[in-house]
């Protein structure tokens, strides 16, 4: 009798050994499928500690597996059952009923799990557990807390949020004693601080968290001035803490593939990138309220510019020659729609951002042999295409779950687990380059204004 079972087998423990032993006892040949890293990520299982090689080696050392295979996609189980002529499919009872559809191909048996032990519990109880405190606007904090639940080993210990319409309370000069007290309590009770306060206050709160010796995940943009970005990174370096700009695209799985394909030469030499990011504007009541303080006035470039600028910088680098802006300003002098042209020696980035102005939020990377097309919303897409001059198309499929914050958190946890305080996804120089372009816009350099 041939038996097959599947699992991640992270942090191999007694529960794993037990289910393999019982599965082997049901037949005379046991096949064990170990999930690949990419498959785990695709189904939302983030922050797996052990590598695939380690997990497979641990299964082999158990002595129960006659054959070990890698599970790489959701539809693989049926093919494996047919390929290896399996008689019994075995899985833990926490999946009761989920795999009944496999009864068409073999017997399905659910085995009771070992009580009180799991890889999730081991991760949560290990030294890698991170206590996170979140401070910011209520809508953003609610999203962050919901996303954090998908990353094991991460615990949101403290939340400090204020309704969106009361965001002026975060301004340093208007902080009430109660907010100061809660902020101090947060800093004293966590390892990592997530900053999602109004854009103009990112620098202030990130700086205070770094001075308190905390790791910081700060919403984009990290700061509105280049010198502020440099100061934050200097503080992180001197304090041996992690500072990461929370840019969804930087950690999105599909963007890794976009960069790889774009730079592989498949589309030839890259000559241009076009990218658009727009979002609905808040209600006119909130606009008029926030407009009473110019620091809180919404800005398409400040709020959305980091997304396309990051893409351009990743593709072409930080050594741009010049930047030109064309912006449409509304009654409150807010930049509603802005076109940004970043000029390089032999390439150009044509970027559009808009608040309250709707446009197709896709992205095109143009090369001499073809082009990449990433559908809207490109900054959190799960697929893209390579289109060639002969009309042939090569499609790429990745994954993207939720709002993307889970990928940022998983990256933070992965870095800190290895005691690393420098991100390879977005560097100090890249964050500074983004801030430099935003700063140039607000200073009015090379800017044509339409009213």
């Amino acid at each position: 009798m041939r038996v097959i079972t599947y699992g991640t087998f992270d942090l191999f423990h007694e529960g794993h050994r037990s289910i393999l032993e019982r599965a082997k006892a049901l037949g005379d040949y046991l096949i064990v499928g170990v999930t690949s890293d990419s498959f785990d990520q695709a189904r939302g299982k983030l922050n797996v500690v052990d590598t695939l090689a380690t997990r497979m080696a641990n299964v082999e050392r158990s002595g129960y597996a006659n054959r070990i295979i890698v599970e790489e996609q959701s539809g693989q189980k049926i093919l494996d059952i047919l390929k290896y002529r399996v008689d019994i499919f075995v899985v833990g009872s926490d999946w009761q009923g989920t795999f009944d559809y496999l009864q068409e191909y073999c017997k399905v048996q659910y085995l009771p799990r070992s009580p009180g032990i799991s890889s999730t519990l081991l991760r949560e109880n290990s030294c890698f557990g991170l206590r996170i405190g979140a401070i910011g606007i209520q809508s953003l904090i609610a999203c962050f807390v919901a996303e954090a639940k998908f990353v094991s080993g991460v615990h949101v210990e403290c939340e400090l949020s204020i309704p969106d319409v009361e965001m002026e309370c975060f301004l340093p000069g208007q902080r009430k004693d109660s907010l100061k007290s809660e902020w101090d309590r947060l800093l004293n009770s966590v390892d990592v601080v997530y900053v999602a306060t109004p854009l103009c206050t990112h620098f202030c709160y990130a700086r205070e968290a770094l001075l308190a010796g905390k790791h910081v995940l700060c919403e984009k943009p990290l700061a509105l001035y280049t010198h502020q970005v440099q100061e934050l990174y200097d503080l992180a370096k001197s304090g041996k803490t992690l500072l990461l700009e929370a840019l969804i695209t930087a950690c999105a799985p599909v963007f890794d593939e976009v960069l790889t394909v774009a730079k592989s030469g498949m589309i030839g030499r890259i000559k241009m990138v076009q990218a658009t990011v727009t979002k609905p504007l808040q209600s006119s009541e909130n606009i008029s309220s926030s407009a009473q303080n110019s620091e809180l006035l919404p800005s398409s470039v400040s709020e959305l510019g980091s997304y396309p600028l990051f893409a351009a910088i990743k593709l072409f680098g930080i050594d741009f020659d010049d930047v030109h802006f064309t912006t449409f300003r509304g009654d409150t002098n807010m930049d509603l729609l802005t076109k940004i042209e970043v000029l390089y020696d032999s390439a150009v980035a044509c970027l559009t951002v808009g608040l309250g102005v709707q446009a197709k939020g896709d992205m095109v990377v143009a090369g001499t042999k073809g082009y990449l097309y990433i559908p809207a919303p490109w900054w959190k897409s799960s697929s893209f295409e390579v289109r060639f001059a002969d009309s042939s198309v090569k499609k790429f499929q990745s994954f993207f779950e939720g709002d993307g914050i889970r990928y940022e958190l998983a990256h933070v946890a992965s870095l800190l687990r290895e005691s690393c305080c420098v991100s390879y996804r977005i560097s100090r120089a890249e964050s500074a380059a983004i801030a430099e372009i935003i700063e140039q816009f607000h200073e009015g350099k090379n800017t044509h204004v339409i009213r």
Side-chain angles (χ1 to χ4, degrees):
M1 296 283 285
R2 289 180 163 241
V3 182
I4 195 167
T5 189
Y6 296 85
T8 302
F9 299 101
D10 190 31
L11 300 175
F12 197 87
H13 52 72
E14 179 59 27
H16 291 143
R17 190 203 63 77
S18 175
I19 202 166
L20 291 178
E21 179 183 31
R22 286 177 288 156
K24 181 63 176 287
L26 294 174
D28 50 24
Y29 192 90
L30 177 63
I31 303 164
V32 181
V34 182
T35 56
S36 67
D37 295 333
S38 59
F39 183 46
D40 278 331
Q41 291 174 353
R43 61 199 184 108
K45 193 164 189 176
L46 304 177
N47 217 21
V48 173
V49 174
D50 291 335
T51 64
L52 174 60
T54 297
R55 292 183 281 121
M56 293 180 72
N58 287 336
V59 170
E60 183 178 17
R61 277 194 290 269
S62 73
Y64 296 110
N66 297 97
R67 186 182 190 119
I68 301 172
I69 61 176
V70 178
E71 184 180 20
E72 299 182 278
Q73 55 186 345
S74 58
Q76 184 176 325
K77 291 182 176 67
I78 292 176
L79 296 177
D80 287 342
I81 289 170
L82 296 173
K83 178 179 180 179
Y84 298 110
R85 304 185 305 281
V86 170
D87 301 293
I88 305 174
F89 170 85
V90 172
V91 72
S93 57
D94 49 337
W95 293 97
Q96 188 73 41
T98 303
F99 297 104
D100 287 354
Y101 70 93
L102 294 177
Q103 290 176 353
E104 180 181 343
Y105 305 94
C106 67
K107 180 181 179 180
V108 176
Q109 189 159 342
Y110 298 95
L111 299 180
R113 289 283 191 184
S114 301
I117 186 169
S118 70
S119 298
T120 300
L121 286 174
L122 289 176
R123 282 190 292 266
E124 291 177 348
N125 294 329
S126 73
C127 59
F128 301 125
L130 292 176
R131 301 170 302 157
I132 297 186
I135 180 171
I137 300 168
Q138 197 169 67
S139 57
L140 296 177
I141 298 304
C143 179
F144 177 83
V145 172
E147 286 279 295
K149 295 176 181 178
F150 292 93
V151 184
S152 59
V154 167
H155 307 277
V156 180
E157 297 283 342
C158 188
E159 302 170 42
L160 178 50
S161 64
I162 288 178
D164 300 34
V165 294
E166 300 176 16
M167 63 175 69
E168 66 276 0
C169 295
F170 282 116
L171 295 174
Q174 297 188 38
R175 277 194 283 189
K176 297 179 180 178
D177 290 340
S178 57
L179 178 61
K180 293 178 182 178
S181 176
E182 287 295 302
W183 175 228
D184 288 340
R185 184 177 67 84
L186 183 151
L187 291 176
N188 289 327
S189 59
V190 301
D191 308 303
V192 182
V193 175
Y194 170 66
V195 177
T197 54
L199 306 185
C200 62
T201 66
H202 285 181
F203 169 73
C204 170
Y205 287 95
R207 182 177 184 274
E208 291 178 9
L210 290 169
L211 286 171
K214 308 303 174 182
H215 304 291
V216 173
L217 174 64
C218 181
E219 272 301 330
K220 47 75 187 167
L222 199 56
L224 297 177
Y225 301 96
T226 312
H227 72 88
Q228 291 180 337
V229 170
Q230 300 291 8
E231 181 179 344
L232 291 177
Y233 272 102
D234 285 341
L235 285 173
K237 184 177 180 179
S238 62
K240 297 181 179 180
T241 51
L242 172 66
L243 172 64
L244 182 66
E245 185 168 359
L247 253 171
I248 293 172
T249 311
C251 297
V254 73
F255 197 70
D256 292 339
E257 292 191 56
V258 167
L259 287 175
T260 299
V261 172
K263 295 192 174 187
S264 69
M266 186 181 297
I267 61 172
R269 295 187 304 276
I270 306 172
K271 306 303 291 184
M272 180 180 68
V273 58
Q274 291 180 317
T276 299
V277 183
T278 63
K279 65 175 287 188
L281 196 59
Q282 61 182 336
S283 69
S284 58
E285 291 183 3
N286 288 343
I287 287 290
S288 60
S289 173
S290 63
Q292 294 175 13
N293 192 310
S294 60
E295 292 179 282
L296 298 175
L297 191 68
S299 161
S300 61
V301 173
S302 295
E303 188 167 341
L304 304 175
S306 298
Y307 292 125
L309 288 172
F310 172 77
I313 286 168
K314 276 297 186 182
L315 288 166
F316 299 135
I318 62 174
D319 296 322
F320 49 86
D321 295 328
D322 207 354
V323 185
H324 295 275
F325 307 93
T326 301
T327 184
F328 174 79
R329 294 188 181 274
D331 295 337
T332 59
N333 204 39
M334 179 185 71
D335 52 290
L336 293 169
L337 180 70
T338 302
K339 182 178 180 181
I340 309 170
E341 290 184 317
V342 186
L343 308 178
Y344 289 84
D345 181 46
S346 59
V348 62
C350 302
L351 318 172
T352 303
V353 290
L355 288 173
V357 179
Q358 294 299 297
K360 189 176 182 180
D362 55 3
M363 176 177 170
V364 173
V365 181
T368 55
K369 296 180 181 179
Y371 68 93
L372 289 172
Y373 176 74
I374 305 96
W378 67 264
W379 56 97
K380 52 181 182 179
S381 178
S382 60
S383 64
F384 66 97
E385 296 178 350
V386 179
R387 300 176 179 178
F388 300 97
D390 61 1
S391 298
S392 62
V393 177
K394 188 171 184 179
K395 297 184 178 182
F396 292 80
Q397 187 67 43
S398 185
F399 55 90
F400 190 94
E401 297 290 336
D403 289 304
I405 297 173
R406 64 188 68 180
Y407 302 116
E408 298 167 350
L409 274 174
H411 181 50
V412 168
S414 175
L415 290 172
L416 295 181
R417 187 169 62 241
E418 300 298 326
S419 300
C420 179
C421 292
V422 178
S423 171
Y424 55 87
R425 293 195 171 276
I426 178 167
S427 68
R428 171 179 184 153
E430 289 164 346
S431 285
I434 291 172
E436 179 185 349
I437 294 174
I438 293 175
E439 184 176 358
Q440 285 185 24
F441 172 74
H442 288 297
E443 289 178 348
K445 292 183 178 179
N446 296 330
T447 301
H448 175 64
V449 179
I450 302 173
R451 297 187 182 276

